Amino acid sequence: MKYAFHLKIREGKELEYRIRHQNVWPEMLDLLKNSGVRNYSIFIENQDIFGCWECDDVDRTLRIINDSDVNRKWQEYMSDIIITPSERRTSKGMDEVFYLP
């Protein structure tokens, strides 16, 4: 299954967002991999962030991520540069309307 999300960066924090994602904590990378996330990409345009990844079971993957202390710490770390409310960060995702295999 594919999962996608959209977030907003606070004005003037675009460079900081890029820097932090060039240095993602090893324990966060382990959490993502161990929860089943693969083929994860994040795209940025101005203050808009679009992310997408694949996994076998979205509900299981999100449960593992959302229940993790590592994720809670990462979300706190990113909260000074992200505008989008925390409950949307890894909860619902975006609806897929087109796919070209």
Side-chain angles (χ1 to χ4, degrees):
M1 292 192 87
K2 288 179 281 199
Y3 181 86
F5 61 88
H6 173 232
L7 300 173
K8 290 274 197 183
I9 302 172
R10 295 182 192 280
E11 189 174 343
K13 298 292 187 173
E14 298 86 354
L15 179 58
E16 181 63 24
Y17 184 89
R18 289 175 185 271
I19 290 169
R20 291 185 191 186
H21 279 81
Q22 291 171 356
N23 298 290
V24 176
W25 307 336
E27 59 269 31
M28 187 63 190
L29 297 174
D30 288 343
L31 169 65
L32 293 170
K33 290 175 186 174
N34 293 334
S35 70
V37 172
R38 63 183 182 275
N39 299 321
Y40 191 173
S41 294
I42 297 175
F43 302 89
I44 185 172
E45 180 179 323
N46 301 315
Q47 291 174 259
D48 290 301
I49 305 162
F50 299 93
C52 59
W53 44 263
E54 297 175 358
C55 67
D56 293 327
D57 183 338
V58 170
D59 292 332
R60 176 187 172 278
T61 296
L62 290 175
R63 185 172 52 254
I64 291 169
I65 292 170
N66 289 329
D67 289 347
S68 165
D69 286 336
V70 172
N71 182 59
R72 275 189 282 283
K73 289 176 186 175
W74 180 261
Q75 298 303 329
E76 183 178 314
Y77 173 60
M78 296 300 292
S79 67
D80 65 325
I81 61 174
I82 299 293
I83 297 171
T84 304
S86 61
E87 62 271 10
R88 289 194 57 212
R89 288 199 185 146
T90 53
S91 57
K92 183 180 174 286
M94 297 169 63
D95 294 331
E96 183 178 57
V97 295
F98 175 79
Y99 173 66
L100 176 68

